[in-house]
């Protein structure tokens, strides 16, 4: 079993920054991809960033490229730095893990999910 706990959401004005964190516990040794997704009411979940934990390769959605950075602090803690935030970045953000980063921004690839943290960006 794997547990993921996210934190760091909040409210900021457009142009501001937030840093989300994801802490994993349990049997994470068989999972090699950590991703961040967001859910906006009325829209499909969007994969925004992912990182392969064995190669270090990073993946980003076009909508966040150049503004968001995924990083790994240690074997079980991963962050998402979000800069130059826009109102359309608002939503509930989740971290998740997958066995591989073969399709890193596709929701079905992921097996375990965090509870979600709210990000609100005002104009």
């Amino acid at each position: 079993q794997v547990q993921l706990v996210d934190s760091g959401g909040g409210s900021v004005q457009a142009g501001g920054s937030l840093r989300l964190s994801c802490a994993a516990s349990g049997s994470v040794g068989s999972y090699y991809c950590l991703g961040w997704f967001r859910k906006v009411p009325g829209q499909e979940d969007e994969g925004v960033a992912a990182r392969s934990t064995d190669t270090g390769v990073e993946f980003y959605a076009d909508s966040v490229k150049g503004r968001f950075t995924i990083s790994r602090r240690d074997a079980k803690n991963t962050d998402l730095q979000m800069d130059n935030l826009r109102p359309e970045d608002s939503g509930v953000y989740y971290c998740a893990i997958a066995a591989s980063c073969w399709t890193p921004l596709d929701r079905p690839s992921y097996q375990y999910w965090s509870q979600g943290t709210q990000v609100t960006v005002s104009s």
Side-chain angles (χ1 to χ4, degrees):
Q1 272 288 48
V2 174
Q3 296 80 40
L4 300 174
V5 178
D6 56 44
S7 60
S11 298
V12 295
Q13 291 191 326
S17 298
L18 283 173
R19 189 176 186 90
L20 306 182
S21 295
C22 181
S25 61
S27 303
V28 301
S30 299
Y31 299 91
Y32 297 98
C33 188
L34 190 134
W36 285 93
F37 290 74
R38 65 186 177 195
K39 184 172 184 64
V40 177
Q43 298 182 19
E44 290 187 2
D45 290 358
E46 180 185 16
V48 297
R51 189 179 193 279
S52 171
T53 58
D54 55 347
T55 67
V57 176
E58 299 171 7
F59 307 87
Y60 296 96
D62 288 342
S63 58
V64 306
K65 203 169 292 184
R67 301 187 298 118
F68 289 15
T69 304
I70 187 170
S71 62
R72 190 182 185 207
R73 280 185 281 132
D74 55 45
K76 294 190 174 184
N77 291 277
T78 304
D79 296 335
L80 183 68
Q81 177 67 37
M82 305 186 295
D83 298 319
N84 192 19
L85 282 161
R86 305 167 179 168
E88 55 265 37
D89 293 320
S90 297
V92 179
Y93 283 70
Y94 302 85
C95 61
I97 61 170
S100 75
C101 276
W102 185 250
T103 51
L105 300 181
D106 290 348
R107 195 183 194 284
S109 299
Y110 289 78
Q111 286 78 51
Y112 291 97
W113 294 80
S114 66
Q115 78 280 7
T117 186
Q118 177 71 46
V119 171
T120 303
V121 185
S122 58
S123 57

